[in-house]
Amino acid sequence: MDVTSTDFWVRTLGMAGIVAAAYLVVLWIALIVWTWRDIRSRSDDGFVQFGSVSLVAVFFLPGLLLYMALRPPESLVEAYQRRLEAEAFLQELENKPSCPACQRAIEAEFVACPFCRMTLRVACEDCGRPMASAWVICAYCGAERAQPAAATRAVAAAIRRDGRPVPAVQSAG
């Protein structure tokens, strides 16, 4: 092998060209496959999938750069998880009780609002368990409240089972 001969260099360049061409073909096919798998994880639309793969297949590296710029920012799984998190957060907000006076979130067991000091529950005189301010009787033992607050009577506006309103309590005097 004579390194100085032109025949040697022609064959070497020919082999390098074949290797480079084979490398580019394998890279081209790998990019097409990667694009296909990536767009399938990001979109269910067949037209978008076909267009994305065609873009990379026809324009090779510039097509890949264009695809990377235009592809959806998140996969379908990521979008689904984000929606689930948002729904769980909203569900948690809906289930969280709030103070009727200041509308701030409170725990269901609170007796008073820690923000505005409104009394939320009073202890039952018979069993001692906390009763909501609007309750007429204790839900735990069935004991009637001695004298509910005037606001509670107005809010509760108790109605008998037959549909007639309960008469107002008159004080003895």
Side-chain angles (χ1 to χ4, degrees):
M1 269 205 184
D2 186 17
V3 180
T4 58
S5 75
T6 57
D7 187 40
F8 172 76
W9 288 109
V10 169
R11 278 190 289 163
T12 303
L13 287 176
M15 291 295 272
I18 291 172
V19 169
Y23 175 78
L24 288 176
V25 167
V26 169
L27 181 64
W28 180 66
I29 291 171
L31 289 178
I32 291 171
V33 170
W34 179 84
T35 303
W36 172 250
R37 293 180 72 189
D38 185 63
I39 195 63
R40 282 187 51 207
S41 72
R42 295 178 184 274
S43 176
D44 284 335
D45 187 3
F47 181 74
V48 171
Q49 291 175 353
F50 177 76
S52 299
V53 172
S54 299
L55 184 68
V56 173
V58 171
F59 295 109
F60 193 37
L61 291 177
L64 178 67
L65 293 175
L66 189 58
Y67 165 71
M68 294 294 286
L70 296 176
R71 75 181 182 162
E74 62 185 0
S75 69
L76 296 172
V77 171
E78 292 168 342
Y80 178 70
Q81 288 175 341
R82 184 178 42 79
R83 281 194 304 268
L84 281 180
E85 288 174 5
E87 287 177 19
F89 180 71
L90 290 175
Q91 186 68 26
E92 186 177 312
L93 286 178
E94 288 176 5
N95 290 342
K96 197 84 163 172
S98 62
C99 173
C102 66
Q103 301 303 315
R104 290 189 180 174
I106 57 171
E107 297 296 324
E109 302 85 31
F110 283 2
V111 176
C113 177
F115 303 105
C116 69
R117 298 183 177 156
M118 178 179 178
T119 303
L120 302 170
R121 302 189 184 294
V122 292
C124 174
E125 293 177 1
D126 287 357
C127 68
R129 294 182 81 173
M131 293 175 39
S133 299
W135 292 358
V136 178
I137 64 167
C138 176
Y140 303 105
C141 68
E144 292 204 24
R145 287 182 74 164
Q147 285 189 342
T152 305
R153 283 193 301 260
V155 170
I159 297 177
R160 294 184 186 165
R161 290 186 184 186
D162 62 359
R164 295 181 306 166
V166 174
V169 178
Q170 296 182 3
S171 59

